[in-house]
Amino acid sequence: MAGIESLDVLAEQFARLPGIGRKSASRLALAMLEYSQDDIDAFVAAIRDAKEKIHRCPVCQNLTDRAICPVCADPTRDASTVCVVADTRAVLAFEKVRAYRGVYHVLHGLISPMSGVTPDALTLRELLARLQDGTVKEVIVATGATTEGEATAMYIARLIQPLGVKVTRLAHGIPYGGELEYADEITLTHALEGRRDVD
Amino acid sequence: MAGIESLDVLAEQFARLPGIGRKSASRLALAMLEYSQDDIDAFVAAIRDAKEKIHRCPVCQNLTDRAICPVCADPTRDASTVCVVADTRAVLAFEKVRAYRGVYHVLHGLISPMSGVTPDALTLRELLARLQDGTVKEVIVATGATTEGEATAMYIARLIQPLGVKVTRLAHGIPYGGELEYADEITLTHALEGRRDVD
């Protein structure tokens, strides 16, 4: 950018983030130069702090800054129902609705041969381990209604059904191609209520 | 965000940046958690480096990491013509066109009573200082065709005209309400060629 190398480097860093194009990245880099040193320090501290404190919950694999995440640690949550989701954002969407009282399992991705994401990259080993002691009676596969979401749901259903655990899928109600995190609360509640067996 | 405080703090930091809404801020914060420690270090170093090295050119007030910016330091540029722009992004837009061989003066803002930006906040004192020794024969006021851009141009014209320096304005050609940095190269070239006296 006009021979200001350190500004180019910063803009490239912003451009690496998802959904940030080259124009936006330049804008963000320039905006950051307007920050006071205190503001820069606060931003950097927030990044380092989040990276240091946040890890995966050993039970559900959701992100948390505690030993066990608040959902898994809550004795009033129904541990016999596990809602399997792609990522933390999907958990946040469900928790906002407050219609769901079971627990979660976060896959941290969806199977996508196009992007080179194989089942090995997901937390399926950890999911299977949770199903060994008979506590879990139902697994709700709540991946989005996209090609990857459907493929992942099918894969998980075939993996779990031999264990005798009931596998359900969110009901129609989520618009086709829609991302879970953008579903409104009513759509999400209906999708939960109308969940069906995977046949 | 679901009781992960350090994630909330990081998302709030991203939400402070221009053009980043709450959803995007959460997405960026989560994306950053996926970074390796090396990637985090590189991001932080880019921020600190840019903040440390980049300052205003003492001549034109544009951002630079050198003692004097490359445009002001270039003896082939015509120092008798000064193009006054709102910010560094406008300089980048002009430099990309390569139709302009004069120098710049960066205001770092536009007069905006609505946002509380008064003339004092701009680099007008520095502009007036540059016009004292008679080197500058023409000032092209190249602020955008927005309300703030027009108001700032008028203010500058009234300020400079008593000094006997010719003041011109970019020609029509920039669509009304358009931001300078999004103008295409032909529009920008025409606007430069057709610049007119401020009457």
Side-chain angles (χ1 to χ4, degrees):
Chain A
M1 192 147 67
I4 317 179
E5 203 199 322
S6 46
L7 191 60
D8 286 344
V9 171
L10 182 55
E12 276 160 31
Q13 284 288 346
F14 275 113
R16 284 188 53 188
L17 287 165
I20 305 289
R22 276 192 57 235
K23 279 256 182 199
S24 296
S26 294
R27 193 167 34 79
L28 294 175
L30 284 166
M32 191 130 280
L33 290 182
E34 303 284 323
Y35 275 30
S36 68
Q37 193 58 51
D38 281 355
D39 287 346
I40 295 271
D41 291 345
F43 187 73
V44 167
I47 294 170
R48 293 213 179 277
D49 210 46
K51 178 69 184 170
E52 194 187 305
K53 289 189 183 158
I54 298 172
H55 53 90
R56 292 182 182 183
C57 168
V59 183
C60 73
Q61 309 299 320
N62 192 14
L63 297 174
T64 185
D65 53 2
R66 309 193 195 172
I68 289 179
C69 83
V71 173
C72 290
D74 182 348
T76 72
R77 304 289 295 228
D78 172 16
S80 73
T81 309
V82 173
C83 181
V84 176
V85 293
D87 52 33
T88 297
R89 289 182 290 168
V91 174
L92 298 177
F94 273 109
E95 288 300 289
K96 226 162 77 182
V97 180
R98 292 167 204 272
Y100 180 65
R101 295 302 303 163
V103 293
Y104 298 97
H105 190 85
V106 179
L107 297 171
H108 289 287
L110 292 172
I111 299 169
S112 171
M114 296 281 282
S115 316
V117 182
T118 61
D120 290 349
L122 311 183
T123 61
L124 294 171
R125 241 179 309 270
E126 291 84 352
L127 176 61
L128 287 176
R130 291 178 77 179
L131 305 179
Q132 297 308 317
D133 70 358
T135 310
V136 178
K137 304 299 180 203
E138 180 180 357
V139 169
I140 306 170
V141 185
T143 50
T146 59
T147 314
E148 286 89 359
E150 294 288 356
T152 306
M154 279 299 129
Y155 187 92
I156 291 174
R158 277 188 214 121
L159 200 69
I160 292 175
Q161 274 156 344
L163 304 177
V165 176
K166 188 180 176 189
V167 180
T168 57
R169 184 97 178 82
L170 285 188
H172 282 302
I174 298 171
Y176 183 76
E179 296 270 22
L180 248 177
E181 63 171 321
Y182 296 112
D184 62 87
E185 305 194 0
I186 294 165
T187 305
L188 215 50
T189 304
H190 283 171
L192 255 175
E193 283 167 354
R195 67 185 185 266
R196 57 186 163 75
D197 282 62
V198 177
D199 40 32
Chain B
M1 194 146 69
I4 317 178
E5 203 200 321
S6 46
L7 191 59
D8 285 344
V9 171
L10 182 54
E12 276 160 31
Q13 284 288 347
F14 275 113
R16 283 188 53 188
L17 288 164
I20 305 289
R22 278 194 54 235
K23 280 257 180 199
S24 296
S26 294
R27 191 167 37 77
L28 295 174
L30 285 166
M32 192 130 280
L33 290 183
E34 304 283 322
Y35 274 31
S36 67
Q37 193 58 52
D38 282 355
D39 287 346
I40 296 270
D41 290 346
F43 187 74
V44 167
I47 293 170
R48 293 212 180 278
D49 210 46
K51 178 68 184 174
E52 193 186 304
K53 288 188 184 159
I54 299 170
H55 53 91
R56 293 182 180 183
C57 169
V59 183
C60 72
Q61 309 299 320
N62 192 14
L63 297 174
T64 184
D65 54 2
R66 310 193 195 170
I68 289 179
C69 83
V71 173
C72 290
D74 182 349
T76 72
R77 303 289 295 229
D78 170 16
S80 72
T81 309
V82 173
C83 182
V84 176
V85 294
D87 52 33
T88 296
R89 289 183 289 168
V91 174
L92 299 176
F94 274 108
E95 287 301 288
K96 226 163 78 184
V97 181
R98 291 166 204 273
Y100 180 65
R101 295 302 303 162
V103 293
Y104 297 97
H105 190 84
V106 179
L107 297 172
H108 290 287
L110 291 172
I111 298 168
S112 172
M114 298 281 283
S115 316
V117 182
T118 60
D120 289 348
L122 310 183
T123 61
L124 294 172
R125 241 178 311 268
E126 292 84 351
L127 177 61
L128 286 177
R130 290 178 78 179
L131 305 179
Q132 297 309 315
D133 69 358
T135 310
V136 179
K137 304 296 181 205
E138 178 181 357
V139 169
I140 306 170
V141 185
T143 50
T146 59
T147 313
E148 286 89 358
E150 294 288 356
T152 306
M154 278 301 129
Y155 188 92
I156 291 174
R158 276 188 216 122
L159 201 67
I160 293 175
Q161 275 159 342
L163 304 177
V165 177
K166 187 180 178 189
V167 180
T168 57
R169 183 96 179 82
L170 285 188
H172 280 301
I174 299 172
Y176 182 76
E179 295 271 19
L180 247 177
E181 62 172 321
Y182 296 113
D184 63 86
E185 306 195 359
I186 295 165
T187 305
L188 215 49
T189 304
H190 284 172
L192 256 175
E193 285 168 353
R195 66 185 185 269
R196 59 188 161 75
D197 283 64
V198 176
D199 40 32

